[in-house]
Amino acid sequence: MIFEDERPLNGWLPTHIKRVALHNQTRREVKWILGSNPWAS
Amino acid sequence: MPIPNLQISDSVGAATYHSCVTEQTTGTSFMAYLSPAVPMQLDSVIFALLPGTGIPRTLGARGVTTGDDRPAEPVLMVGYDFPEQTAAAVSKTVQETRDVDAFLRDAVPVGRVTRDSRTNPSDPPDVLAHIDGSEFGIEATQFVPPDSELDKSNSIVGRWMAFERFRDKVLEQDPYTLSQHRGLLTVMHFGRSSASPNQRLPPKPANLGSAIAALRTAQPIVRDGSAAAAPEHESDVIQWSSDRSIFFAWTELPFWYASPFRNQMGFELALGYHATITRSDLRAELRRVISDHDNRKRKHSSSLSTRPCGPGCSSQSTGQSPR
């Protein structure tokens, strides 16, 4: 359910952490929920 | 693979659903409770089976909250999940490094990880990774769906840790004294289904002895055929302890099933429980986890990698505690 949530942080932002990713090890799925993938390109 | 029959009936008022999953061809029966903690409309039932068996690995239901006092939102009810220990327990730092390695495997294109990631000696951040020749600090944590019904002195993590403690106590017993369970998956449900969530937890250390005694006294019921498919009475598929503080359900394990617990005791022991998780619960827990890490002093610009653990998550039995 958390992977399907389009606004998991619902507008809230941490002070220091700039990027947050969810990782499902079983499905090998990564979803960036704050910031973007710095290694995408 | 045969598909189990799944029956959900409104058995105790409007809010408690009793479900019974049975698998006729393998002669096994299984029972779990699905009790929504909030008013909800059921949309679908979720279940997963151990490969090649009729044994549930996960049982739940999902839907949407209802009621005039709150906006509708997605909700998940978990009736049962069967964590599998897939690796030996390791230290927290080793687990963090393993989790970051798995994360990098899936988040970074092949060939761009230039050095093995390693535990940061001046944590935080937990782990240092090297990508394209640059160093990145990564905080790692496991995300465990919360159980908002539990009070602050208990938690879903605490529930699993208490059950792990109970399993450890069982492992100290002579397998001969529990031989009636041999070859079976024994699911223990603590507390009455209608009891409060804080009364449905595995035993505290002072009560481990009585729970062990109940396990020794229990006489497994394994139904087959029509008796399993359509039990007439609750007692056809479950058994209460004499003080009705614990109930048991059993199903046959496939011959190939192996685990450290089964190898030693001859059977497997699982925790029956039910919990309701709304999207708001997940968001609040995610914010709590991120805030915890955000408040730590840091020398590096850090990213946080969270590894969600859902029903059927394989890590609960590793002894690793989410942070």
Side-chain angles (χ1 to χ4, degrees):
Chain A
M1 200 155 65
I2 195 73
F3 267 80
E4 299 160 8
D5 190 346
E6 294 180 356
R7 292 174 52 84
L9 298 180
N10 202 23
W12 174 78
L13 294 173
T15 304
H16 304 289
I17 292 174
K18 303 304 179 192
R19 296 183 175 92
V20 178
L22 299 174
H23 181 217
N24 183 321
Q25 290 190 12
T26 304
R27 294 182 181 176
R28 302 192 62 170
E29 181 182 3
V30 174
K31 178 178 181 178
W32 291 88
I33 61 172
L34 177 64
S36 57
N37 183 350
W39 312 298
S41 58
Chain B
M1 177 189 305
I3 303 299
N5 297 324
L6 178 64
Q7 305 167 349
I8 295 185
S9 60
D10 186 352
S11 64
V12 184
T16 300
Y17 295 82
H18 152 253
S19 71
C20 178
V21 180
T22 59
E23 178 27 71
Q24 295 181 54
T25 58
T26 58
T28 60
S29 60
F30 179 84
M31 176 169 279
Y33 282 99
L34 296 174
S35 298
V38 297
M40 65 176 286
Q41 172 187 317
L42 279 179
D43 289 340
S44 59
V45 170
I46 301 166
F47 66 83
L49 303 176
L50 282 178
T53 77
I55 299 174
R57 187 170 185 265
T58 303
L59 174 65
R62 61 189 305 167
V64 179
T65 59
T66 58
D68 297 333
D69 58 336
R70 57 188 300 162
E73 61 173 328
V75 59
L76 173 68
M77 246 193 316
V78 179
Y80 172 75
D81 78 271
F82 182 19
E84 295 169 74
Q85 184 172 0
T86 56
V90 295
S91 68
K92 185 170 77 67
T93 55
V94 171
Q95 185 68 50
E96 287 169 346
T97 305
R98 285 183 181 177
D99 287 344
V100 167
D101 283 341
F103 168 67
L104 296 177
R105 175 198 67 199
D106 296 333
V108 180
V110 174
R112 292 177 56 183
V113 176
T114 44
R115 276 178 55 186
D116 290 340
S117 54
R118 59 190 172 89
T119 298
N120 181 10
S122 55
D123 176 4
D126 299 321
V127 176
L128 300 176
H130 296 84
I131 297 149
D132 296 333
S134 298
E135 186 173 77
F136 291 83
I138 299 179
E139 290 275 285
T141 191
Q142 294 181 1
F143 182 71
V144 178
D147 187 339
S148 60
E149 291 184 276
L150 296 176
D151 63 31
K152 290 189 181 303
S153 64
N154 295 300
S155 69
I156 199 162
V157 176
R159 169 188 287 152
W160 286 106
M161 291 180 73
F163 186 61
E164 198 72 20
R165 189 169 56 226
F166 177 68
R167 278 170 56 99
D168 288 344
K169 193 69 178 175
V170 174
L171 284 168
E172 294 175 5
Q173 310 303 307
D174 181 345
Y176 178 77
T177 65
L178 297 164
S179 60
Q180 72 272 33
H181 299 277
R182 180 167 287 277
L184 300 176
L185 168 64
T186 301
V187 184
M188 294 183 74
H189 299 251
F190 297 94
R192 293 169 181 270
S193 62
S194 57
S196 75
N198 293 304
Q199 295 173 320
R200 296 198 309 260
L201 297 171
K204 297 184 183 304
N207 298 325
L208 288 175
S210 60
I212 295 284
L215 188 61
R216 280 184 173 163
T217 306
Q219 291 302 316
I221 303 167
V222 181
R223 298 293 186 189
D224 58 8
S226 59
E232 290 186 18
H233 308 286
E234 185 183 76
S235 58
D236 289 342
V237 285
I238 71 168
Q239 186 175 111
W240 286 93
S241 61
S242 58
D243 64 357
R244 295 188 71 81
S245 65
I246 300 170
F247 75 83
F248 301 86
W250 294 269
T251 191
E252 291 179 11
L253 285 171
F255 71 89
W256 50 262
Y257 177 86
S259 71
F261 191 94
R262 184 186 189 176
N263 294 347
Q264 181 172 331
M265 302 303 294
F267 67 103
E268 183 56 277
L269 187 62
L271 172 66
Y273 75 100
H274 51 89
T276 302
I277 306 149
T278 65
R279 184 177 64 187
S280 297
D281 295 334
L282 289 177
R283 285 178 171 179
E285 178 64 8
L286 191 59
R287 180 169 173 167
R288 186 191 68 78
V289 168
I290 295 172
S291 292
D292 280 354
H293 287 259
D294 197 43
N295 292 333
R296 302 173 75 195
K297 290 182 180 177
R298 58 203 65 255
K299 295 178 181 177
H300 296 253
S301 173
S302 300
S303 297
L304 175 67
S305 162
T306 67
R307 172 189 171 201
C309 284
C313 173
S314 60
S315 66
Q316 300 280 16
S317 299
T318 63
Q320 294 299 302
S321 300
R323 306 173 42 197

